[in-house]
Amino acid sequence: MSMGTALAGAHRISGEDVDRYRSEGHLLVQGLAASYEVAHFAPAIAAATARHTEKAVPLAERDTYGKAFVQVMNLWRDDETVARFVLAERFASVAAQLLGVERVRVYHDQALFKEPGGGYTPWHQDAMYWPLDGHQCITMWMPLVDIVPSMGGLTFATGSHAEGALSDVTISDVSEAHFDALIAERGFALAEPRPMRAGDATFHSGWTVHKAGGNTTETMRAVMTVIYFADGLAVREPTNPSQENDLRTWLPGLRPGDLAVTSANPVVG
Ligand SMILES: O=C(O)CCC(=O)C(=O)O
């Protein structure tokens, strides 16, 4: 690795952008990584993703969730190059500024590759899955290739994060119908997807309602995400089976009330 690809140092966010994130629940940060930096890391992320998905079921045989993307989690623990990307100070510094905290920890990463012809990602709230305070959690979503909306860009329900938990339904056609009705009822404005360059990133709160369209192009929508939480959070009592599973998987050995501190959740930034 050369110093040019270290993703070191903080990336400063303007006060205006911090305010926008806090009122809207999502923020686009353009040029967070340069194209040569993405080019350095993307092959390792794609190769690690492929290693885990050699036996993927054909698209047509999957359910709505399975059609949405190839999803592989915590690649940073498998591959040193991916770890340098996921644990990068530059990315974590943005998460910390938006949450208004000194330090964040990694909850987990996930590669979300929406295949050509891949289906839509139904409306959902991420923090429904997490035994943590969703207001103190944030996801960075970064395309590794230039994307246009028809590849499956994210749509956000602006301001929905402020309402906290709005459903207990896992990502499915049921969550889609639930949030379609709720968005119409509460009148949230929708922030439609925009073209993004590889290395641009969006950040969204744990409670922001969001979805993605299908990928109607011939190009893989290669996206890497990192989920962070504010250092100092305590583990919450799980309120559904998804949170019980997440507690076992991503906060290994911890119980409700414990500080969310394990070697699988390093401080970054
Ligand atoms: O990439 C997608 O299609 C959905 C992403 C998402 O829901 C997330 O990163 O929280």
Side-chain angles (χ1 to χ4, degrees):
M1 179 185 55
S2 77
M3 282 316 288
T5 51
L7 300 171
H11 179 93
R12 290 281 152 225
I13 295 293
S14 69
E16 206 172 74
D17 275 349
V18 172
D19 290 347
R20 178 171 301 127
Y21 170 80
R22 294 194 188 155
S23 78
E24 299 189 347
H26 55 91
L27 182 73
L28 169 65
V29 180
Q30 289 175 312
L32 185 55
S35 54
Y36 74 89
E37 292 172 319
V38 175
H40 176 81
F41 291 100
I45 296 169
T49 303
R51 281 200 293 280
H52 286 270
T53 52
E54 274 164 3
K55 297 198 178 107
V57 174
L59 202 52
E61 292 168 29
R62 302 183 211 156
D63 64 6
T64 297
Y65 189 85
K67 284 188 174 109
F69 36 60
V70 169
Q71 177 182 32
V72 187
M73 286 141 130
N74 255 9
L75 289 175
W76 76 269
R77 305 203 76 184
D78 277 12
D79 185 286
E80 276 180 29
T81 304
V82 181
R84 284 197 293 273
F85 182 93
V86 170
L87 307 182
E89 182 187 2
R90 190 186 303 164
F91 303 156
S93 72
V94 176
Q97 289 167 80
L98 297 179
L99 291 177
V101 298
E102 282 288 305
R103 280 175 306 279
V104 290
R105 288 179 180 271
V106 169
Y107 185 49
H108 63 76
D109 66 48
Q110 46 186 356
L112 296 174
F113 283 31
K114 201 182 276 286
E115 297 144 292
Y120 81 114
T121 309
W123 286 121
H124 64 280
Q125 291 178 298
D126 299 337
M128 195 280 294
Y129 289 86
W130 303 338
L132 293 170
D133 175 1
H135 294 293
Q136 297 296 316
C137 300
I138 188 166
T139 298
M140 180 188 80
W141 188 94
M142 180 181 282
L144 305 174
V145 292
D146 293 351
I147 63 165
V148 290
S150 57
M151 290 168 74
L154 292 185
T155 300
F156 299 103
T158 291
S160 53
H161 65 304
E163 309 221 5
L166 291 169
S167 126
D168 231 6
V169 185
T170 51
I171 301 176
S172 60
D173 296 327
V174 178
S175 70
E176 178 76 1
H178 169 83
F179 282 112
D180 264 343
L182 191 130
I183 287 163
E185 179 194 303
R186 307 224 178 161
F188 295 122
L190 299 186
E192 301 291 350
R194 295 168 35 188
M196 293 173 74
R197 306 295 302 265
D200 291 348
T202 56
F203 286 79
H204 63 267
S205 161
W207 288 125
T208 302
V209 178
H210 58 288
K211 69 178 292 181
N215 183 355
T216 60
T217 74
E218 294 299 315
T219 306
M220 176 75 90
R221 189 211 67 180
V223 163
M224 189 61 176
T225 68
V226 185
I227 301 158
Y228 306 92
F229 61 89
D231 183 30
L233 284 194
V235 176
R236 290 196 156 176
E237 188 72 52
T239 59
N240 59 45
S242 302
Q243 292 185 11
E244 281 165 20
N245 180 60
D246 256 45
L247 174 52
R248 280 192 300 276
T249 311
W250 308 122
L251 300 162
L254 298 187
R255 299 167 61 85
D258 290 345
L259 263 189
V261 175
T262 81
S263 57
N265 313 105
V267 167
V268 280

